[in-house]
Amino acid sequence: GCYLGIGRAIDVLAQITEQKIQQARHANPLTQLPGNVPIQQHLTQLLNTHREALICYIDIDNFKPFNDCYDYAKGDEALLRLAQCLGRHGDPHGFLGHIGGDDFILVLRCDDWRQRLQRLQNDFQSECRQLYRSEHLCAGGYSAEDRQGRQQHFGLLSLSLGVVHLHPEACAHLDADQIAALLTQAKQQAKAIVGDSLAVIDTRNWLTAQVRSA
């Protein structure tokens, strides 16, 4: 919000063009969302600026059996629908990235983050209803092979959300790799719950545990 100086319009346009080139270079080819390099850069920026944020790891439950049952074109459509849902319920001051496969990152910096995530899950459920065959909707799922090759019943697609609540006082004690580890831990906690789920790791509690163990 402070006046810093003046610059030439041509220089601003050159910077914008360069940023777009970099974004395209590291974008996911399916969703065109920022990939792993800009995700890592954004997490590092959050830590360096000591900003409070909600970092969400989004994973689709039962995505592999859905692909096996319906084919990869339908799987890609599910991913695109999720990307659209994330765009609708994200934060204008946040960030959205696609790690790969059915894994996404959403950064929120708003007070109503729980409500946004609830709406995201509901919206995705509604979007996916258009992808299933009627008999699978009625049965609440479908049969497919599990990773061991055994036939098993799987529920309809749902979202597991692993969230790290980043607080400014914890930023100096964390790096991007540690944030990624906490996100994975939160996602695993969410995945242990059947259906749409949310698990939150608070970095204040994490920091307190680190101090006690030191």
Side-chain angles (χ1 to χ4, degrees):
C2 299
Y3 178 77
L4 296 178
I6 61 173
R8 297 187 304 167
I10 192 171
D11 294 328
V12 175
L13 291 172
Q15 285 293 322
I16 292 172
T17 301
E18 178 60 27
Q19 287 186 14
K20 287 184 175 179
I21 291 171
Q22 291 297 325
Q23 288 171 359
R25 182 176 296 143
H26 299 295
N28 182 277
L30 175 65
T31 60
Q32 294 301 303
L33 293 173
N36 288 311
V37 170
I39 289 171
Q40 188 88 351
Q41 290 172 342
H42 186 78
L43 294 180
T44 300
Q45 183 183 26
L46 282 176
L47 294 171
N48 289 342
T49 54
H50 294 254
R51 294 179 178 178
E52 182 176 2
L54 284 302
I55 309 168
C56 313
Y57 193 130
I58 295 107
D59 178 88
I60 303 179
D61 303 316
N62 302 324
F63 186 67
K64 182 184 182 300
F66 177 84
N67 268 338
D68 293 342
C69 183
Y70 281 91
D71 73 41
Y72 285 93
K74 282 281 189 181
D76 285 349
E77 188 174 349
L79 294 175
L80 288 169
R81 286 175 183 258
L82 175 54
Q84 291 166 1
C85 291
L86 289 165
R88 286 196 290 268
H89 302 289
D91 181 352
H93 303 291
F95 176 84
L96 173 57
H98 189 173
I99 299 170
D102 60 317
D103 296 325
F104 292 78
I105 286 287
L106 178 67
V107 177
L108 301 172
R109 300 187 61 209
C110 47
D111 293 333
D112 64 340
W113 60 272
R114 284 186 182 272
Q115 292 86 347
R116 286 176 183 263
L117 294 179
Q118 181 65 64
R119 292 195 294 269
L120 166 66
Q121 290 174 322
N122 294 340
D123 192 12
F124 183 65
Q125 288 281 0
S126 177
E127 285 283 339
C128 286
R129 291 183 68 84
Q130 303 170 50
L131 303 178
Y132 306 120
R133 295 196 283 270
S134 58
E135 62 267 26
H136 292 159
L137 269 176
C138 293
Y142 36 80
S143 293
E145 288 188 354
D146 63 15
R147 295 184 185 277
Q148 286 72 45
R150 297 170 299 195
Q151 203 71 13
Q152 184 179 333
H153 179 82
F154 293 91
L156 301 176
L157 297 178
S158 56
L159 295 181
S160 289
L161 309 179
V163 176
V164 171
H165 190 165
L166 180 64
H167 294 280
E169 59 268 34
C171 289
H173 304 274
L174 288 162
D175 58 29
D177 289 337
Q178 289 171 307
I179 289 290
L182 290 175
L183 284 170
T184 300
Q185 183 181 337
K187 186 197 75 167
Q188 290 170 345
Q189 293 174 7
K191 294 285 281 185
I193 304 169
V194 177
D196 285 329
S197 58
L198 170 68
V200 182
I201 292 179
D202 192 298
T203 55
R204 279 180 179 153
N205 297 336
W206 175 87
L207 184 57
T208 300
Q210 296 298 305
V211 171
R212 286 175 178 171
S213 63

PDB file of all heavy atoms in Angstrom, residues 54-85:
ATOM      1  N   LEU A  54      -4.027 -21.200   5.716  1.00  0.00           N
ATOM      2  CA  LEU A  54      -4.505 -22.575   5.785  1.00  0.00           C
ATOM      3  C   LEU A  54      -4.053 -23.272   4.516  1.00  0.00           C
ATOM      4  O   LEU A  54      -4.477 -22.906   3.414  1.00  0.00           O
ATOM      5  CB  LEU A  54      -6.027 -22.630   5.898  1.00  0.00           C
ATOM      6  CG  LEU A  54      -6.674 -22.293   7.240  1.00  0.00           C
ATOM      7  CD1 LEU A  54      -6.149 -23.211   8.350  1.00  0.00           C
ATOM      8  CD2 LEU A  54      -6.523 -20.841   7.604  1.00  0.00           C
ATOM      9  N   ILE A  55      -3.166 -24.244   4.656  1.00  0.00           N
ATOM     10  CA  ILE A  55      -2.637 -24.967   3.506  1.00  0.00           C
ATOM     11  C   ILE A  55      -3.345 -26.317   3.449  1.00  0.00           C
ATOM     12  O   ILE A  55      -3.253 -27.115   4.378  1.00  0.00           O
ATOM     13  CB  ILE A  55      -1.114 -25.153   3.620  1.00  0.00           C
ATOM     14  CG1 ILE A  55      -0.427 -23.806   3.912  1.00  0.00           C
ATOM     15  CG2 ILE A  55      -0.544 -25.763   2.353  1.00  0.00           C
ATOM     16  CD1 ILE A  55       1.024 -23.938   4.325  1.00  0.00           C
ATOM     17  N   CYS A  56      -4.043 -26.559   2.363  1.00  0.00           N
ATOM     18  CA  CYS A  56      -4.903 -27.735   2.249  1.00  0.00           C
ATOM     19  C   CYS A  56      -4.365 -28.700   1.200  1.00  0.00           C
ATOM     20  O   CYS A  56      -4.115 -28.307   0.060  1.00  0.00           O
ATOM     21  CB  CYS A  56      -6.325 -27.332   1.868  1.00  0.00           C
ATOM     22  SG  CYS A  56      -6.984 -25.958   2.824  1.00  0.00           S
ATOM     23  N   TYR A  57      -4.203 -29.943   1.580  1.00  0.00           N
ATOM     24  CA  TYR A  57      -3.839 -31.019   0.669  1.00  0.00           C
ATOM     25  C   TYR A  57      -5.134 -31.749   0.312  1.00  0.00           C
ATOM     26  O   TYR A  57      -5.788 -32.313   1.180  1.00  0.00           O
ATOM     27  CB  TYR A  57      -2.850 -31.966   1.360  1.00  0.00           C
ATOM     28  CG  TYR A  57      -2.143 -32.957   0.466  1.00  0.00           C
ATOM     29  CD1 TYR A  57      -0.754 -33.106   0.528  1.00  0.00           C
ATOM     30  CD2 TYR A  57      -2.837 -33.783  -0.415  1.00  0.00           C
ATOM     31  CE1 TYR A  57      -0.089 -34.011  -0.272  1.00  0.00           C
ATOM     32  CE2 TYR A  57      -2.184 -34.696  -1.217  1.00  0.00           C
ATOM     33  CZ  TYR A  57      -0.812 -34.813  -1.128  1.00  0.00           C
ATOM     34  OH  TYR A  57      -0.165 -35.719  -1.926  1.00  0.00           O
ATOM     35  N   ILE A  58      -5.513 -31.730  -0.957  1.00  0.00           N
ATOM     36  CA  ILE A  58      -6.777 -32.326  -1.397  1.00  0.00           C
ATOM     37  C   ILE A  58      -6.496 -33.606  -2.160  1.00  0.00           C
ATOM     38  O   ILE A  58      -5.705 -33.620  -3.116  1.00  0.00           O
ATOM     39  CB  ILE A  58      -7.578 -31.346  -2.292  1.00  0.00           C
ATOM     40  CG1 ILE A  58      -8.004 -30.118  -1.491  1.00  0.00           C
ATOM     41  CG2 ILE A  58      -8.811 -32.015  -2.877  1.00  0.00           C
ATOM     42  CD1 ILE A  58      -7.243 -28.883  -1.819  1.00  0.00           C
ATOM     43  N   ASP A  59      -7.130 -34.690  -1.722  1.00  0.00           N
ATOM     44  CA  ASP A  59      -6.945 -35.993  -2.354  1.00  0.00           C
ATOM     45  C   ASP A  59      -8.316 -36.609  -2.614  1.00  0.00           C
ATOM     46  O   ASP A  59      -9.203 -36.567  -1.756  1.00  0.00           O
ATOM     47  CB  ASP A  59      -6.117 -36.900  -1.430  1.00  0.00           C
ATOM     48  CG  ASP A  59      -5.923 -38.284  -2.005  1.00  0.00           C
ATOM     49  OD1 ASP A  59      -4.953 -38.474  -2.749  1.00  0.00           O
ATOM     50  OD2 ASP A  59      -6.747 -39.180  -1.719  1.00  0.00           O
ATOM     51  N   ILE A  60      -8.499 -37.187  -3.826  1.00  0.00           N
ATOM     52  CA  ILE A  60      -9.767 -37.830  -4.157  1.00  0.00           C
ATOM     53  C   ILE A  60      -9.733 -39.280  -3.672  1.00  0.00           C
ATOM     54  O   ILE A  60      -8.823 -40.041  -4.027  1.00  0.00           O
ATOM     55  CB  ILE A  60     -10.038 -37.805  -5.676  1.00  0.00           C
ATOM     56  CG1 ILE A  60     -10.031 -36.364  -6.205  1.00  0.00           C
ATOM     57  CG2 ILE A  60     -11.374 -38.476  -5.990  1.00  0.00           C
ATOM     58  CD1 ILE A  60     -10.261 -36.264  -7.707  1.00  0.00           C
ATOM     59  N   ASP A  61     -10.730 -39.657  -2.874  1.00  0.00           N
ATOM     60  CA  ASP A  61     -10.840 -41.035  -2.408  1.00  0.00           C
ATOM     61  C   ASP A  61     -11.375 -41.931  -3.519  1.00  0.00           C
ATOM     62  O   ASP A  61     -12.268 -41.532  -4.280  1.00  0.00           O
ATOM     63  CB  ASP A  61     -11.793 -41.111  -1.200  1.00  0.00           C
ATOM     64  CG  ASP A  61     -11.343 -40.212  -0.060  1.00  0.00           C
ATOM     65  OD1 ASP A  61     -10.142 -40.210   0.246  1.00  0.00           O
ATOM     66  OD2 ASP A  61     -12.203 -39.512   0.509  1.00  0.00           O
ATOM     67  N   ASN A  62     -10.824 -43.152  -3.589  1.00  0.00           N
ATOM     68  CA  ASN A  62     -11.282 -44.182  -4.532  1.00  0.00           C
ATOM     69  C   ASN A  62     -11.110 -43.757  -5.996  1.00  0.00           C
ATOM     70  O   ASN A  62     -11.879 -44.186  -6.865  1.00  0.00           O
ATOM     71  CB  ASN A  62     -12.760 -44.538  -4.285  1.00  0.00           C
ATOM     72  CG  ASN A  62     -12.998 -45.038  -2.871  1.00  0.00           C
ATOM     73  OD1 ASN A  62     -12.153 -45.735  -2.302  1.00  0.00           O
ATOM     74  ND2 ASN A  62     -14.133 -44.675  -2.291  1.00  0.00           N
ATOM     75  N   PHE A  63     -10.089 -42.951  -6.269  1.00  0.00           N
ATOM     76  CA  PHE A  63      -9.898 -42.469  -7.639  1.00  0.00           C
ATOM     77  C   PHE A  63      -9.396 -43.576  -8.571  1.00  0.00           C
ATOM     78  O   PHE A  63      -9.833 -43.673  -9.724  1.00  0.00           O
ATOM     79  CB  PHE A  63      -8.933 -41.281  -7.654  1.00  0.00           C
ATOM     80  CG  PHE A  63      -8.790 -40.643  -9.004  1.00  0.00           C
ATOM     81  CD1 PHE A  63      -9.860 -39.977  -9.587  1.00  0.00           C
ATOM     82  CD2 PHE A  63      -7.598 -40.701  -9.705  1.00  0.00           C
ATOM     83  CE1 PHE A  63      -9.745 -39.381 -10.843  1.00  0.00           C
ATOM     84  CE2 PHE A  63      -7.471 -40.110 -10.954  1.00  0.00           C
ATOM     85  CZ  PHE A  63      -8.547 -39.458 -11.518  1.00  0.00           C
ATOM     86  N   LYS A  64      -8.485 -44.429  -8.091  1.00  0.00           N
ATOM     87  CA  LYS A  64      -7.965 -45.507  -8.939  1.00  0.00           C
ATOM     88  C   LYS A  64      -9.075 -46.475  -9.366  1.00  0.00           C
ATOM     89  O   LYS A  64      -9.197 -46.787 -10.563  1.00  0.00           O
ATOM     90  CB  LYS A  64      -6.834 -46.252  -8.241  1.00  0.00           C
ATOM     91  CG  LYS A  64      -6.231 -47.353  -9.103  1.00  0.00           C
ATOM     92  CD  LYS A  64      -5.170 -48.146  -8.355  1.00  0.00           C
ATOM     93  CE  LYS A  64      -4.566 -49.211  -9.260  1.00  0.00           C
ATOM     94  NZ  LYS A  64      -5.586 -50.190  -9.753  1.00  0.00           N
ATOM     95  N   PRO A  65      -9.901 -46.993  -8.421  1.00  0.00           N
ATOM     96  CA  PRO A  65     -10.987 -47.877  -8.884  1.00  0.00           C
ATOM     97  C   PRO A  65     -11.994 -47.175  -9.794  1.00  0.00           C
ATOM     98  O   PRO A  65     -12.579 -47.812 -10.667  1.00  0.00           O
ATOM     99  CB  PRO A  65     -11.636 -48.354  -7.575  1.00  0.00           C
ATOM    100  CG  PRO A  65     -11.137 -47.458  -6.516  1.00  0.00           C
ATOM    101  CD  PRO A  65      -9.801 -46.983  -6.960  1.00  0.00           C
ATOM    102  N   PHE A  66     -12.181 -45.860  -9.608  1.00  0.00           N
ATOM    103  CA  PHE A  66     -13.049 -45.111 -10.514  1.00  0.00           C
ATOM    104  C   PHE A  66     -12.469 -45.138 -11.925  1.00  0.00           C
ATOM    105  O   PHE A  66     -13.178 -45.388 -12.907  1.00  0.00           O
ATOM    106  CB  PHE A  66     -13.203 -43.667 -10.029  1.00  0.00           C
ATOM    107  CG  PHE A  66     -14.020 -42.802 -10.948  1.00  0.00           C
ATOM    108  CD1 PHE A  66     -15.406 -42.785 -10.864  1.00  0.00           C
ATOM    109  CD2 PHE A  66     -13.407 -42.000 -11.904  1.00  0.00           C
ATOM    110  CE1 PHE A  66     -16.168 -41.988 -11.726  1.00  0.00           C
ATOM    111  CE2 PHE A  66     -14.157 -41.205 -12.767  1.00  0.00           C
ATOM    112  CZ  PHE A  66     -15.540 -41.201 -12.669  1.00  0.00           C
ATOM    113  N   ASN A  67     -11.167 -44.908 -12.041  1.00  0.00           N
ATOM    114  CA  ASN A  67     -10.496 -44.980 -13.344  1.00  0.00           C
ATOM    115  C   ASN A  67     -10.632 -46.370 -13.961  1.00  0.00           C
ATOM    116  O   ASN A  67     -10.887 -46.515 -15.156  1.00  0.00           O
ATOM    117  CB  ASN A  67      -9.007 -44.641 -13.194  1.00  0.00           C
ATOM    118  CG  ASN A  67      -8.714 -43.171 -13.412  1.00  0.00           C
ATOM    119  OD1 ASN A  67      -9.481 -42.466 -14.050  1.00  0.00           O
ATOM    120  ND2 ASN A  67      -7.602 -42.708 -12.880  1.00  0.00           N
ATOM    121  N   ASP A  68     -10.443 -47.402 -13.130  1.00  0.00           N
ATOM    122  CA  ASP A  68     -10.510 -48.775 -13.625  1.00  0.00           C
ATOM    123  C   ASP A  68     -11.919 -49.122 -14.109  1.00  0.00           C
ATOM    124  O   ASP A  68     -12.080 -49.871 -15.082  1.00  0.00           O
ATOM    125  CB  ASP A  68     -10.093 -49.750 -12.523  1.00  0.00           C
ATOM    126  CG  ASP A  68      -8.620 -49.618 -12.162  1.00  0.00           C
ATOM    127  OD1 ASP A  68      -7.862 -49.044 -12.967  1.00  0.00           O
ATOM    128  OD2 ASP A  68      -8.233 -50.077 -11.070  1.00  0.00           O
ATOM    129  N   CYS A  69     -12.920 -48.585 -13.423  1.00  0.00           N
ATOM    130  CA  CYS A  69     -14.307 -48.910 -13.743  1.00  0.00           C
ATOM    131  C   CYS A  69     -14.825 -48.102 -14.932  1.00  0.00           C
ATOM    132  O   CYS A  69     -15.574 -48.630 -15.769  1.00  0.00           O
ATOM    133  CB  CYS A  69     -15.184 -48.676 -12.511  1.00  0.00           C
ATOM    134  SG  CYS A  69     -16.920 -49.110 -12.716  1.00  0.00           S
ATOM    135  N   TYR A  70     -14.414 -46.829 -15.020  1.00  0.00           N
ATOM    136  CA  TYR A  70     -15.023 -45.933 -15.998  1.00  0.00           C
ATOM    137  C   TYR A  70     -14.107 -45.550 -17.163  1.00  0.00           C
ATOM    138  O   TYR A  70     -14.577 -45.061 -18.163  1.00  0.00           O
ATOM    139  CB  TYR A  70     -15.492 -44.652 -15.305  1.00  0.00           C
ATOM    140  CG  TYR A  70     -16.793 -44.819 -14.574  1.00  0.00           C
ATOM    141  CD1 TYR A  70     -16.829 -45.189 -13.246  1.00  0.00           C
ATOM    142  CD2 TYR A  70     -18.004 -44.605 -15.215  1.00  0.00           C
ATOM    143  CE1 TYR A  70     -18.030 -45.344 -12.568  1.00  0.00           C
ATOM    144  CE2 TYR A  70     -19.213 -44.752 -14.560  1.00  0.00           C
ATOM    145  CZ  TYR A  70     -19.217 -45.125 -13.228  1.00  0.00           C
ATOM    146  OH  TYR A  70     -20.406 -45.273 -12.574  1.00  0.00           O
ATOM    147  N   ASP A  71     -12.827 -45.677 -17.039  1.00  0.00           N
ATOM    148  CA  ASP A  71     -11.769 -45.355 -17.991  1.00  0.00           C
ATOM    149  C   ASP A  71     -11.133 -44.013 -17.641  1.00  0.00           C
ATOM    150  O   ASP A  71     -11.677 -43.221 -16.879  1.00  0.00           O
ATOM    151  CB  ASP A  71     -12.209 -45.395 -19.466  1.00  0.00           C
ATOM    152  CG  ASP A  71     -13.099 -44.221 -19.908  1.00  0.00           C
ATOM    153  OD1 ASP A  71     -12.835 -43.067 -19.513  1.00  0.00           O
ATOM    154  OD2 ASP A  71     -14.061 -44.469 -20.659  1.00  0.00           O
ATOM    155  N   TYR A  72      -9.971 -43.789 -18.233  1.00  0.00           N
ATOM    156  CA  TYR A  72      -9.160 -42.627 -17.855  1.00  0.00           C
ATOM    157  C   TYR A  72      -9.731 -41.306 -18.357  1.00  0.00           C
ATOM    158  O   TYR A  72      -9.442 -40.248 -17.792  1.00  0.00           O
ATOM    159  CB  TYR A  72      -7.714 -42.816 -18.325  1.00  0.00           C
ATOM    160  CG  TYR A  72      -6.963 -43.799 -17.467  1.00  0.00           C
ATOM    161  CD1 TYR A  72      -6.907 -45.150 -17.808  1.00  0.00           C
ATOM    162  CD2 TYR A  72      -6.348 -43.393 -16.293  1.00  0.00           C
ATOM    163  CE1 TYR A  72      -6.242 -46.069 -17.003  1.00  0.00           C
ATOM    164  CE2 TYR A  72      -5.672 -44.294 -15.477  1.00  0.00           C
ATOM    165  CZ  TYR A  72      -5.628 -45.634 -15.834  1.00  0.00           C
ATOM    166  OH  TYR A  72      -4.978 -46.530 -15.031  1.00  0.00           O
ATOM    167  N   ALA A  73     -10.524 -41.358 -19.426  1.00  0.00           N
ATOM    168  CA  ALA A  73     -11.147 -40.114 -19.897  1.00  0.00           C
ATOM    169  C   ALA A  73     -12.109 -39.574 -18.842  1.00  0.00           C
ATOM    170  O   ALA A  73     -12.144 -38.368 -18.571  1.00  0.00           O
ATOM    171  CB  ALA A  73     -11.880 -40.360 -21.217  1.00  0.00           C
ATOM    172  N   LYS A  74     -12.880 -40.471 -18.232  1.00  0.00           N
ATOM    173  CA  LYS A  74     -13.780 -40.060 -17.148  1.00  0.00           C
ATOM    174  C   LYS A  74     -12.974 -39.588 -15.937  1.00  0.00           C
ATOM    175  O   LYS A  74     -13.362 -38.648 -15.238  1.00  0.00           O
ATOM    176  CB  LYS A  74     -14.686 -41.222 -16.743  1.00  0.00           C
ATOM    177  CG  LYS A  74     -15.845 -41.479 -17.687  1.00  0.00           C
ATOM    178  CD  LYS A  74     -16.977 -40.495 -17.458  1.00  0.00           C
ATOM    179  CE  LYS A  74     -18.215 -40.906 -18.259  1.00  0.00           C
ATOM    180  NZ  LYS A  74     -19.326 -39.964 -18.096  1.00  0.00           N
ATOM    181  N   GLY A  75     -11.852 -40.256 -15.695  1.00  0.00           N
ATOM    182  CA  GLY A  75     -10.992 -39.836 -14.595  1.00  0.00           C
ATOM    183  C   GLY A  75     -10.469 -38.433 -14.798  1.00  0.00           C
ATOM    184  O   GLY A  75     -10.462 -37.614 -13.872  1.00  0.00           O
ATOM    185  N   ASP A  76     -10.044 -38.136 -16.028  1.00  0.00           N
ATOM    186  CA  ASP A  76      -9.578 -36.781 -16.335  1.00  0.00           C
ATOM    187  C   ASP A  76     -10.706 -35.764 -16.160  1.00  0.00           C
ATOM    188  O   ASP A  76     -10.475 -34.642 -15.688  1.00  0.00           O
ATOM    189  CB  ASP A  76      -9.050 -36.717 -17.769  1.00  0.00           C
ATOM    190  CG  ASP A  76      -7.690 -37.377 -17.921  1.00  0.00           C
ATOM    191  OD1 ASP A  76      -7.067 -37.699 -16.894  1.00  0.00           O
ATOM    192  OD2 ASP A  76      -7.251 -37.574 -19.071  1.00  0.00           O
ATOM    193  N   GLU A  77     -11.920 -36.160 -16.538  1.00  0.00           N
ATOM    194  CA  GLU A  77     -13.051 -35.248 -16.373  1.00  0.00           C
ATOM    195  C   GLU A  77     -13.307 -34.962 -14.892  1.00  0.00           C
ATOM    196  O   GLU A  77     -13.608 -33.826 -14.514  1.00  0.00           O
ATOM    197  CB  GLU A  77     -14.308 -35.828 -17.023  1.00  0.00           C
ATOM    198  CG  GLU A  77     -15.467 -34.844 -17.060  1.00  0.00           C
ATOM    199  CD  GLU A  77     -16.672 -35.353 -17.827  1.00  0.00           C
ATOM    200  OE1 GLU A  77     -16.550 -36.384 -18.523  1.00  0.00           O
ATOM    201  OE2 GLU A  77     -17.735 -34.710 -17.722  1.00  0.00           O
ATOM    202  N   ALA A  78     -13.158 -35.988 -14.058  1.00  0.00           N
ATOM    203  CA  ALA A  78     -13.324 -35.786 -12.610  1.00  0.00           C
ATOM    204  C   ALA A  78     -12.276 -34.812 -12.075  1.00  0.00           C
ATOM    205  O   ALA A  78     -12.578 -33.940 -11.245  1.00  0.00           O
ATOM    206  CB  ALA A  78     -13.232 -37.122 -11.874  1.00  0.00           C
ATOM    207  N   LEU A  79     -11.043 -34.933 -12.568  1.00  0.00           N
ATOM    208  CA  LEU A  79      -9.974 -34.020 -12.142  1.00  0.00           C
ATOM    209  C   LEU A  79     -10.269 -32.588 -12.572  1.00  0.00           C
ATOM    210  O   LEU A  79     -10.067 -31.643 -11.799  1.00  0.00           O
ATOM    211  CB  LEU A  79      -8.636 -34.473 -12.709  1.00  0.00           C
ATOM    212  CG  LEU A  79      -8.083 -35.805 -12.201  1.00  0.00           C
ATOM    213  CD1 LEU A  79      -6.806 -36.173 -12.937  1.00  0.00           C
ATOM    214  CD2 LEU A  79      -7.839 -35.765 -10.697  1.00  0.00           C
ATOM    215  N   LEU A  80     -10.755 -32.432 -13.793  1.00  0.00           N
ATOM    216  CA  LEU A  80     -11.078 -31.091 -14.288  1.00  0.00           C
ATOM    217  C   LEU A  80     -12.243 -30.490 -13.509  1.00  0.00           C
ATOM    218  O   LEU A  80     -12.236 -29.288 -13.202  1.00  0.00           O
ATOM    219  CB  LEU A  80     -11.405 -31.150 -15.783  1.00  0.00           C
ATOM    220  CG  LEU A  80     -10.208 -31.405 -16.709  1.00  0.00           C
ATOM    221  CD1 LEU A  80     -10.675 -31.704 -18.119  1.00  0.00           C
ATOM    222  CD2 LEU A  80      -9.255 -30.213 -16.703  1.00  0.00           C
ATOM    223  N   ARG A  81     -13.218 -31.312 -13.166  1.00  0.00           N
ATOM    224  CA  ARG A  81     -14.351 -30.815 -12.376  1.00  0.00           C
ATOM    225  C   ARG A  81     -13.891 -30.397 -10.976  1.00  0.00           C
ATOM    226  O   ARG A  81     -14.351 -29.390 -10.429  1.00  0.00           O
ATOM    227  CB  ARG A  81     -15.451 -31.866 -12.292  1.00  0.00           C
ATOM    228  CG  ARG A  81     -16.232 -32.020 -13.600  1.00  0.00           C
ATOM    229  CD  ARG A  81     -17.231 -33.162 -13.518  1.00  0.00           C
ATOM    230  NE  ARG A  81     -17.917 -33.342 -14.796  1.00  0.00           N
ATOM    231  CZ  ARG A  81     -19.140 -32.917 -15.065  1.00  0.00           C
ATOM    232  NH1 ARG A  81     -19.843 -32.290 -14.124  1.00  0.00           N
ATOM    233  NH2 ARG A  81     -19.695 -33.137 -16.239  1.00  0.00           N
ATOM    234  N   LEU A  82     -12.962 -31.160 -10.401  1.00  0.00           N
ATOM    235  CA  LEU A  82     -12.429 -30.783  -9.092  1.00  0.00           C
ATOM    236  C   LEU A  82     -11.666 -29.463  -9.198  1.00  0.00           C
ATOM    237  O   LEU A  82     -11.807 -28.592  -8.331  1.00  0.00           O
ATOM    238  CB  LEU A  82     -11.511 -31.878  -8.553  1.00  0.00           C
ATOM    239  CG  LEU A  82     -10.793 -31.547  -7.241  1.00  0.00           C
ATOM    240  CD1 LEU A  82     -11.781 -31.124  -6.147  1.00  0.00           C
ATOM    241  CD2 LEU A  82      -9.951 -32.727  -6.774  1.00  0.00           C
ATOM    242  N   ALA A  83     -10.862 -29.299 -10.240  1.00  0.00           N
ATOM    243  CA  ALA A  83     -10.118 -28.049 -10.423  1.00  0.00           C
ATOM    244  C   ALA A  83     -11.076 -26.863 -10.519  1.00  0.00           C
ATOM    245  O   ALA A  83     -10.821 -25.790  -9.952  1.00  0.00           O
ATOM    246  CB  ALA A  83      -9.250 -28.132 -11.680  1.00  0.00           C
ATOM    247  N   GLN A  84     -12.207 -27.051 -11.200  1.00  0.00           N
ATOM    248  CA  GLN A  84     -13.204 -25.986 -11.302  1.00  0.00           C
ATOM    249  C   GLN A  84     -13.832 -25.687  -9.938  1.00  0.00           C
ATOM    250  O   GLN A  84     -14.049 -24.524  -9.583  1.00  0.00           O
ATOM    251  CB  GLN A  84     -14.265 -26.382 -12.321  1.00  0.00           C
ATOM    252  CG  GLN A  84     -13.757 -26.413 -13.754  1.00  0.00           C
ATOM    253  CD  GLN A  84     -14.711 -27.122 -14.699  1.00  0.00           C
ATOM    254  OE1 GLN A  84     -15.780 -27.585 -14.294  1.00  0.00           O
ATOM    255  NE2 GLN A  84     -14.339 -27.207 -15.967  1.00  0.00           N
ATOM    256  N   CYS A  85     -14.127 -26.737  -9.173  1.00  0.00           N
ATOM    257  CA  CYS A  85     -14.689 -26.551  -7.830  1.00  0.00           C
ATOM    258  C   CYS A  85     -13.712 -25.794  -6.934  1.00  0.00           C
ATOM    259  O   CYS A  85     -14.104 -24.897  -6.178  1.00  0.00           O
ATOM    260  CB  CYS A  85     -15.021 -27.906  -7.191  1.00  0.00           C
ATOM    261  SG  CYS A  85     -16.392 -28.795  -7.952  1.00  0.00           S
TER     262      CYS A  85
END
